[in-house]
Amino acid sequence: LYVDLQGAGSRAAEPETVLGSFLRALGTADSAIPDSLEERAALYRSVLDGRRVLVLLDNARDAAQVRPLLPGTEGCAALITSRVRMVDLAGAHLVDLDVMSPEEALSLFTKIVGEERVAAEREAALDVVAACGFLPLAIRIAASRLASRRTWTVSVLAAKLADERRRLDELQAGDLAVKATFELGYGQLEPAQARAFRLLGLADGPDISLAAAAAVLDLPVDDTEDLLESLVDTSLLESAAPGRYRFHDLVRLYARACAERDEHPPSERDAAMSRLLDFYLRTAAGVYAIERPGERVLEHFAATQHPGLVFSDRDRALEWLFSESNCLLACAQQAASAGMQRKAADLLMAAVDLGESGAYSLQFTQAAAAVSDAARTVGDAWAEGRARTMLTHVHSLCGRFTEADEEGKRAHSLGTTAGDPVARAQAPNQRGIIALYEGRHGDAEAHLEHALEAFRADGNQPGAAAALCNLSRVHLAGGRTDSAVALAQQGVEIYEQDVTGQALRLANGKYALGLALTTAGRTAEARAVLLAALDVFRKSRQLLWHGMTLFRLAELDLADRTPASAASHAEQALAVLRGIGGDWRRANVLTVLGRALMAIGHTDRAQVCWQDALAVFDALGSPEADEVRSLLHPVAVA
């Protein structure tokens, strides 16, 4: 027995009407069919007794509509399809129908379009089914449109679907339309549910946390959870994990279209996104304060209206930052295009640990570039200077020193023009490190002296400590070992006045001190401070600094004449730095690994390491190439 219960429409089928048609199908005369719902349900179950019948109740509205239609007799079963999760239907086994896998989606597309056309443009076909969100209805519509247009290539269809603002309009063929299907579910929502559906669809992140959703909706967390769970029950929202929610890609596009059409006043859309940005900024600033106590940069952030989340535990704070990384960076990039460049730039500064970790360098760079471009378009030197300061930092961490220095020069100029104490201090501090990496020691010292003066003028003691530690490395490169040790110790002492041994910036200070102590021959002291720094970097999820500290321990091992340990530390560093930190850093580690391998008699492996390092240094035009050539030359002669 089959019936379309029309539960998604405005006129759902009445159970007594359905029972009448079922009874007729089972051979009951019209005169024998009672009038009331209860009597028809009882007769229905009596007629089914002793039979084996599958009842397919398609497109059900709710459990109340379904209950009278259940067979309730041994040997019979009911299969119900619905947009609503009928958790109140006793004895039911719920099965969620997910979207197709990429392979299944491509197979469906191919059956409709034809193997020849798909085989000729397989990549474009994959783009099409991905744009359809692997939703069977959307794939069927897209494929049917292509099949009926012999002059179109698959690439033409893929290009049409690439435009998100037009995608739902393109997914329509005859009386089939993805948008119309979504409209049925949206039309049944209560006003509060519909508002939540519209506003949550505006956020760009891959999903959203309950706390962030509460900020968007400007509601208490408990009320927000009730609304979101009700949207999950109607299949318009998915529960990605406890406390996290997401839209199917096409449903999100539909939600945004509804927001543009139905949200009144229209300013509420911008207000919702502003609340989300404030939530991320205030919470990320709190994490920043835990990691960098005493930093005055927080005092220069834009004021926020949302209190954000508050963490008393460092581990929980970092867990939040890294779990929200994709959503937070997506929000910063989206805010730039929505005219909120200053807060977006501040958000990137507050979340700088994501850029420093190495794991999110690409997303961080994209967001910072978007904020910089948007700020330049509107002539906001303050926001552009801060965004370019972040670009300087992330380019440098990825080994793109030329781009980093160009961004830093522009950031410093903009910060000076705008009177921004943050960019005026941070940009030359970063340019000093870049100049050090490029062997321009005079430039490095000049930049860092300027940064030190700017930090002190702003009363930023931790910033001054960073500049002192960086100056230590410049002195070390210039052979001034004693002053290098003294400068790094000054920096560490400043950090220790305000922070605990677990603070990230104290670990950076100990890293610089470890380098200076290694060169000074004070290897036991150097090992102690480097191991302390390594522990913090590992716990802080700072993969870049974790790997670089392992590299410095390898250098220390060589100085201590323990090459086997040096080789082990260098190999660990390469494993941690895989894919992050840039080729220049990788080549430096390879150089040290080659020295360690040579010392333990692994000549061939050492030569391979040096050859790989030389190729990188030559490609980059780095001065380290000459050192590696001198290492390779005796091997070549032998």
Side-chain angles (χ1 to χ4, degrees):
L1 297 171
Y2 169 86
V3 63
D4 179 0
L5 294 175
Q6 302 174 30
S10 58
R11 301 181 63 181
E14 295 296 333
E16 53 262 50
T17 304
V18 175
L19 284 171
S21 65
F22 277 179
L23 287 168
R24 292 185 191 95
L26 292 167
T28 305
D30 284 348
S31 59
I33 298 176
D35 292 332
S36 73
L37 173 62
E38 292 77 10
E39 290 176 321
R40 288 188 179 190
L43 178 59
Y44 168 63
R45 293 189 178 97
S46 296
V47 171
L48 287 178
D49 187 36
R51 301 191 186 192
R52 294 177 58 81
V53 175
L54 174 64
V55 182
L56 177 52
L57 305 175
D58 196 11
N59 194 12
R61 179 186 59 200
D62 53 29
Q65 184 192 33
V66 164
R67 285 192 189 96
L69 309 179
L70 299 178
T73 57
E74 188 176 356
C76 296
L79 179 62
I80 307 159
T81 68
S82 177
R83 288 176 172 81
V84 178
R85 287 174 172 79
M86 298 183 188
V87 294
D88 53 341
L89 194 61
H93 175 65
L94 300 180
V95 179
D96 282 317
L97 293 180
D98 204 348
V99 296
M100 288 180 156
S101 68
E103 294 78 14
E104 292 169 336
L106 187 62
S107 175
L108 174 60
F109 184 76
T110 302
K111 286 180 179 178
I112 300 172
V113 173
E115 290 189 11
E116 184 177 346
R117 295 174 79 181
V118 173
E121 297 181 278
R122 180 178 172 81
E123 290 302 317
L126 288 171
D127 289 341
V128 168
V129 296
C132 291
F134 308 108
L135 194 68
L137 175 62
I139 295 166
R140 178 184 169 193
I141 291 171
S144 297
R145 290 191 67 197
L146 184 61
S148 65
R149 291 163 173 81
R150 302 305 301 177
T151 60
W152 282 17
T153 63
V154 182
S155 298
V156 167
L157 178 60
K160 287 179 174 292
L161 295 176
D163 183 354
E164 288 190 350
R165 296 187 64 85
R166 290 280 308 158
R167 187 175 298 169
L168 288 175
D169 292 328
E170 294 291 344
L171 291 174
Q172 183 171 333
D175 61 349
L176 287 178
V178 171
K179 185 187 295 185
T181 301
F182 296 155
E183 191 75 43
L184 291 172
Y186 176 67
Q188 292 187 335
L189 298 179
E190 297 294 330
Q193 293 175 310
R195 174 181 178 268
F197 175 75
R198 293 191 300 266
L199 293 183
L200 291 177
L202 295 173
D204 269 352
D207 61 4
I208 193 166
S209 69
L210 180 58
V216 172
L217 302 180
D218 196 22
L219 291 173
V221 170
D222 289 345
D223 293 347
T224 300
E225 185 173 25
D226 289 343
L227 279 174
L228 269 55
E229 287 297 329
S230 71
L231 291 175
V232 170
D233 286 340
T234 61
S235 300
L236 287 173
L237 193 65
E238 300 173 13
S239 181
R244 301 199 72 87
Y245 300 87
R246 68 185 176 206
F247 284 101
H248 182 277
D249 290 345
L250 294 181
V251 177
R252 184 201 300 273
L253 295 180
Y254 176 70
R256 290 182 175 179
C258 290
E260 292 181 6
R261 182 189 68 191
D262 300 336
E263 197 61 45
H264 300 293
S267 59
E268 176 58 10
R269 299 197 299 268
D270 292 337
M273 289 298 93
S274 180
R275 290 192 295 268
L276 180 63
L277 178 59
D278 277 8
F279 166 79
Y280 281 131
L281 175 54
R282 179 64 71 88
T283 309
V287 178
Y288 186 100
I290 291 174
E291 285 292 87
R292 297 166 177 79
E295 275 273 11
R296 277 183 54 81
V297 66
L298 296 174
E299 299 174 28
H300 301 301
F301 282 174
T304 59
Q305 300 301 314
H306 195 283
L309 300 175
V310 178
F311 302 102
S312 57
D313 179 78
R314 178 173 177 269
D315 291 338
R316 290 186 62 192
L318 288 174
E319 177 64 32
W320 177 88
L321 180 66
F322 282 88
S323 66
E324 290 289 340
S325 56
N326 291 322
C327 296
L328 184 152
L329 294 174
C331 180
Q333 188 164 345
Q334 185 177 16
S337 62
M340 296 179 278
Q341 296 87 6
R342 289 202 176 189
K343 286 185 179 179
D346 289 347
L347 177 56
L348 292 175
M349 285 195 157
V352 67
D353 285 345
L354 297 178
E356 285 197 5
S357 72
Y360 303 95
S361 298
L362 177 59
Q363 300 97 311
F364 198 94
T365 302
Q366 290 172 338
V371 176
S372 175
D373 291 345
R376 185 180 68 252
T377 299
V378 299
D380 189 340
W382 182 287
E384 185 183 353
R386 292 192 176 192
R388 287 188 183 275
T389 299
M390 291 295 94
L391 280 173
T392 304
H393 195 40
V394 74
H395 280 318
S396 175
L397 292 171
C398 292
R400 299 186 291 266
F401 301 132
T402 301
E403 297 95 318
D405 197 50
E406 290 173 355
E407 292 290 352
K409 183 178 181 180
R410 181 64 177 151
H412 187 214
S413 174
L414 288 163
T416 301
T417 299
D420 178 17
V422 176
R424 276 191 311 198
Q426 289 195 12
N429 186 51
Q430 292 162 8
R431 291 190 74 196
I433 287 293
I434 295 162
L436 170 65
Y437 289 157
E438 293 185 328
R440 298 182 285 110
H441 298 159
D443 290 343
E445 190 159 0
H447 289 317
L448 291 169
E449 291 286 1
H450 190 106
L452 181 60
E453 180 183 350
F455 280 127
R456 284 173 171 166
D458 188 38
N460 190 337
Q461 284 295 96
L468 287 168
C469 290
N470 290 335
L471 268 173
S472 166
R473 296 181 63 180
V474 175
H475 281 224
L476 195 63
R480 293 172 283 175
T481 304
D482 291 343
S483 60
V485 172
L487 286 167
Q489 286 175 332
Q490 287 180 50
V492 169
E493 287 169 4
I494 292 173
Y495 284 133
E496 287 178 335
Q497 291 173 8
D498 298 314
V499 302
T500 67
Q502 286 296 305
L504 182 58
R505 279 300 167 257
L506 177 57
N508 287 126
K510 289 183 176 181
Y511 176 90
L513 180 57
L515 303 188
L517 291 171
T518 297
T519 303
R522 296 159 62 177
T523 55
E525 296 171 77
R527 190 176 300 279
V529 293
L530 285 174
L531 287 173
L534 180 67
D535 184 58
V536 174
F537 292 141
R538 184 186 293 115
K539 290 178 179 177
S540 299
R541 308 186 189 189
Q542 292 295 321
L543 293 177
L544 175 62
W545 293 113
H546 178 186
M548 289 304 295
T549 307
L550 288 168
F551 162 59
R552 298 305 184 183
L553 284 167
E555 290 184 318
L556 176 59
D557 289 331
L558 286 179
D560 246 355
R561 293 185 174 82
T562 53
S565 179
S568 175
H569 277 131
E571 287 173 340
Q572 290 177 57
L574 286 174
V576 173
L577 293 172
R578 185 176 291 116
I580 63 174
D583 290 339
W584 180 80
R585 288 183 174 84
R586 176 176 171 274
N588 276 289
V589 179
L590 285 169
T591 302
V592 168
L593 177 57
R595 288 181 179 275
L597 291 170
M598 180 62 71
I600 58 178
H602 294 180
T603 304
D604 291 342
R605 288 185 61 200
Q607 186 174 12
V608 170
C609 289
W610 290 335
Q611 287 170 342
D612 288 348
L614 180 59
V616 171
F617 289 140
D618 276 341
L620 296 174
S622 301
E624 290 87 353
D626 291 337
E627 175 197 349
V628 179
R629 282 195 184 89
S630 69
L631 293 171
L632 278 168
H633 182 67
V635 176
V637 171

